[in-house]
Amino acid sequence: MARQARSESEREDRMRAIRAAALDIFTHKGFAAARLEDVASAAGVGKGTIYLYFRSKQDLLEAIVARTIGATLAEVEQAVAASPLPAGELLRLAGGAIAQGVQDPERRRVLHLVLCEGARFPQIAEFYHREIISHGMAMIRSIISRGQASGEFVSDEPGRFPQLVFAPALVAVIWSVVFARIEPLDARAMLDAHFDLLIRALTRRPA
C-alpha cells in the first residue's frame, strides 16, 4: 500500500522526483511506450504512490508542463500586465523569457516532447495550446495593442499573427535536437536579433 507523505516538504520532494523521472522516461521511450511502473522505479517510489499525486500518465505530463513552462509564463504575464514600460520594452521582456526557456534544458525537453507527441496524442496538443500557447499569444496581442494605442507601433501584424513572435523559439528547439552537433546555434543571440528586427519593423515610420 502506498504511504502518504508525512509533511508538505516530503510531498513536494516526491512530486518533484516523480516529475523528473517521468520527463526522462517520456523523452527516452516516448509517451505511448512509457509505463508508470518505469516512472515509479526511476523515482524510487511504488507505483501506487504515483496515484496519490497524479490521476494518470496524461495528468503527470500536464503537471510537468505546468511546472516547467506554465509557472514561468504566468510570471511573465503578470509582469507585462503590471509594467508601465513602453510596448517595445515589454516585447523585449517577453523575448528574454522566450530565450531563457529555449536555453533551459528541462523546458527545451518539454517543448520537444510536446512537438513530437502532440500530433499522435491530440489531448497533449490541446492541453498545451489551452494552457501555454493561448496565454502566450494573448500576451503578445496585448503588447502589440498597447503599442498601437500609444502610437509606438505602426503595424499590427504580430497582433494578428503572434506565431511570428514565437517562431524562432521553435526553430531553436528543433535545431538543438537535430542539427546542433553539426552546426551549433547561439539561440539567445538569434532570438535577440529576431526581436531587434521585429521592434525596428514595428516602430519604423514610412519615408
Side-chain angles (χ1 to χ4, degrees), residues 14-36:
R14 280 190 180 177
M15 292 177 69
R16 189 181 303 110
I18 292 169
R19 289 195 303 269
L23 182 55
D24 284 341
I25 298 295
F26 293 164
T27 299
H28 291 116
K29 291 193 172 184
F31 188 71
R35 301 183 309 161
L36 289 181

Side-chain angles (χ1 to χ4, degrees), residues 62-108:
E62 291 177 3
I64 292 170
V65 171
R67 282 291 182 140
T68 57
I69 299 177
T72 301
L73 176 59
E75 291 177 2
V76 177
E77 285 181 289
Q78 292 172 6
V80 166
S83 176
L85 290 172
E89 291 304 310
L90 293 179
L91 206 51
R92 288 190 188 280
L93 176 66
I98 292 170
Q100 287 181 349
V102 169
Q103 289 180 303
D104 181 83
E106 186 178 37
R107 294 176 197 161
R108 190 167 61 233

